[in-house]
Amino acid sequence: MRVQSSATDPSSIAVSTSPAAPGAAAPASQRLGTLQAALGVVAFSLTFPATAWGLQGFGPWSLVAVRSVLAAAMAGTCLLALRVRLPERRHWAGLAVVAAGVVLGFPMLTTLALQTSTTSHAAVVVGLLPLTTALFSALRMGIRPSRTFWAAALAGAAAVLAFTVAQSGGALTAADGYLFAALVVCAAGYTEGGRLARIMPGWQVIGWALVFCLPLTVPAAVVALSYEPVVWNAHGVLGVLWVAVGSQFLGLVVWYRGMAAVGIPKASQLQLAQPLLTLVWSVLLLGEHLSAAAPLTAAAVLVCIAVTQRSRS
């Protein structure tokens, strides 16, 4: 696996053959990792608007299955073209977590939520993702968060809970339940994927996770498409293509590479901008009208997450 990674990952070749001193290479690697993680955040910020577009042409189950199959086809082609060997067995459990959380769980749960929830509402709730990712990474790496971390985490969670209850008329809805569950499974997938990206190239992490899901996603796509009629329109096609190519594969490639380069906590800081970016896309692409509570809650969560990150540094 180590030989294979250096042969297929251009960045590893560049580092190993560069004549620059180690001290000079480190800042460049950090800058590149930050840029890659930032590109991942931009890609992810478009996921909810693209999903809303996709639902204009596809049913929820068809949308999730088709996006996974398309992304897996792209990933599998890359893996075959570069003759990448299967990951070692000791990495299969980690890849299973990535697959369950990022390939299957998060897309399905958020797509179900967006059937009845606006993208702006979903963006605020999922704004807790950097916090839950930081919590998962702390537990996974055996780190005990400080009291400041827990206080800020609880404050952020309380702000989002108050927002969802107020927006839902005094009680949580099924869509909110889907979104909160999506936070948990995605944070687990991000954390495990970031850990694996230190061992193998980031694109291989998500690539193998997608390919391993094909025995489930291909039959699911066939069955779903037979029961959910497809309405062919520009928004539906563009939405499916973006969530498959941009969010499900390319976005995760640069995201995992960025996390491997700068670390999970620092990469999570960049996700602070994601809910605010999604709010902008929801207005520009979907014409949604934001309530005053949406940007205010997103900003409050941003502050809370910033405090958690500072308390861990």
Side-chain angles (χ1 to χ4, degrees):
M1 189 67 197
R2 290 189 294 270
V3 175
Q4 158 225 323
S5 296
S6 62
T8 58
D9 184 12
S11 65
S12 64
I13 297 175
V15 172
S16 62
T17 59
S18 173
S29 176
Q30 291 285 317
R31 287 194 295 270
L32 178 59
T34 300
L35 175 61
Q36 290 172 327
L39 289 174
V41 169
V42 173
F44 299 153
S45 71
L46 282 161
T47 300
F48 286 172
T51 300
W53 274 7
L55 286 171
Q56 295 179 21
F58 292 79
W61 298 98
S62 300
L63 176 59
V64 173
V66 169
R67 69 179 275 184
S68 296
V69 171
L70 290 176
M74 177 181 295
T77 300
C78 294
L79 292 168
L80 285 174
L82 294 173
R83 298 180 180 179
V84 179
R85 297 179 181 177
L86 279 171
E88 298 176 19
R89 285 184 177 272
R90 61 193 178 96
H91 301 319
W92 288 12
L95 288 170
V97 174
V98 176
V102 177
V103 177
L104 300 176
F106 186 79
M108 188 71 259
L109 290 166
T110 53
T111 299
L112 290 173
L114 287 172
Q115 287 189 287
T116 56
S117 172
T118 63
T119 59
S120 56
H121 180 92
V124 173
V125 176
V126 179
L128 283 175
L129 185 55
L131 188 151
T132 51
T133 302
L135 177 59
F136 268 77
S137 68
L139 296 175
R140 182 70 173 86
M141 306 303 177
I143 301 172
R144 299 183 64 179
S146 65
R147 292 182 179 178
T148 303
F149 176 96
W150 286 114
L154 291 174
V160 170
L161 184 61
F163 170 81
T164 54
V165 170
Q167 293 288 302
S168 303
L172 295 178
T173 64
D176 294 323
Y178 289 138
L179 292 171
F180 283 119
L183 283 174
V184 175
V185 298
C186 190
Y190 276 1
T191 300
E192 200 63 23
R195 185 189 67 82
L196 288 172
R198 298 178 179 179
I199 304 169
M200 64 180 74
W203 73 271
Q204 292 183 23
V205 174
I206 184 58
W208 285 118
L210 285 164
V211 170
F212 286 174
C213 286
L214 279 174
L216 294 175
T217 55
V218 169
V222 173
V223 173
L225 288 172
S226 66
Y227 282 94
E228 295 177 339
V230 176
V231 179
W232 295 104
N233 56 67
H235 279 180
V237 173
L238 288 174
V240 169
L241 289 177
W242 177 258
V243 293
V245 178
S247 302
Q248 192 85 69
F249 184 58
L250 296 180
L252 285 166
V253 167
V254 293
W255 174 244
Y256 282 145
R257 288 179 66 91
M259 280 200 295
V262 303
I264 296 174
K266 288 186 178 180
S268 295
Q269 290 183 17
L270 297 173
Q271 272 195 309
L272 298 175
Q274 186 172 323
L276 296 176
L277 283 173
T278 300
L279 292 180
V280 173
W281 299 132
S282 68
V283 173
L284 296 179
L285 299 179
L286 303 175
E288 292 186 3
H289 298 283
L290 303 181
S291 65
L296 289 176
T297 304
V301 172
L302 187 153
V303 172
C304 292
I305 298 174
V307 172
T308 66
Q309 299 298 330
R310 182 175 295 274
S311 71
R312 300 180 72 235
S313 61

